[in-house]
Amino acid sequence: ATIPFVDNDPNHNSWTVYYKSSNDATWNTVVTNTTTVDLTSLDPETQYDAYVVTNCSTPDVVEDATVTIHFTTLVACPAPQNLTVTNIDMTSATVSWFSNADSYTIEYGEAGFTPGTGTVGTSTTTSFDLSGLTAGTTYTVYVTADCGVDGPSAPASVNFNTTICAAADQCGDTVI
């Protein structure tokens, strides 16, 4: 997180930034000589509190602190978004999604399967061709992003149904 602040006194040239997780009792500190400080090694998806104190060289060693701010760090590795299944036929389909990860793990099986027991594949793009499916069956697909040092995301999922017969055998008639 980057913490910028304003100090209108040109004689001030050193500040201490205090920060901590909102659940912690102990404050961490960073001393800076600029009016912007980058806080690193923060936990993802965590609320933090921070405030700034001017370090003075006058007899009043420390001035009043700023108002405490609150912020929440982002998810380290967001789950893939907008999963869609296209090109569905009796035994295959293509799943696609939006994400900026390095690679992805795709797991699929009949709806209701236990994750870890399905068919698994990997991709370095944002789509994957599913194969070996059974006609007229509902499937669930899980896609997990791998963000390198930030680890894996939570899985995103989508359900779809394979067709009962080949497109060439389907007709446009309506039975009344």
Side-chain angles (χ1 to χ4, degrees), residues 42-135:
L42 302 177
D43 293 327
E45 299 181 79
T46 303
Q47 183 175 359
Y48 282 88
D49 306 324
Y51 67 93
V52 179
V53 174
T54 303
N55 301 325
C56 297
S57 58
T58 62
D60 180 19
V61 178
V62 177
E63 289 192 1
D64 293 333
T66 62
V67 173
T68 301
I69 62 166
H70 309 281
F71 63 92
T72 302
T73 52
L74 300 175
V75 175
C77 185
Q81 300 292 311
N82 301 323
L83 270 66
T84 57
V85 182
T86 58
N87 304 322
I88 302 168
D89 66 22
M90 292 172 48
T91 60
S92 64
T94 301
V95 62
S96 303
W97 58 90
F98 293 107
S99 180
N100 289 320
D102 300 330
S103 63
Y104 306 91
T105 300
I106 300 89
E107 183 176 15
Y108 59 99
E110 289 188 26
F113 81 98
T114 303
T117 64
T119 302
V120 177
T122 59
S123 179
T124 57
T125 65
T126 55
S127 68
F128 185 79
D129 292 326
L130 310 173
S131 61
L133 308 178
T134 303

Side-chain angles (χ1 to χ4, degrees), residues 2-6 14-22 24-32 34-35 37 39 48-55 62-71:
T2 299
I3 307 292
F5 54 94
V6 176
S14 176
W15 301 268
T16 301
V17 177
Y18 291 83
Y19 69 97
K20 69 176 184 73
S21 162
S22 297
D24 289 342
T26 305
W27 290 90
N28 301 298
T29 60
V30 174
V31 177
T32 182
T34 65
T35 56
V37 66
L39 304 179
Y48 282 88
D49 306 324
Y51 67 93
V52 179
V53 174
T54 303
N55 301 325
V62 177
E63 289 192 1
D64 293 333
T66 62
V67 173
T68 301
I69 62 166
H70 309 281
F71 63 92

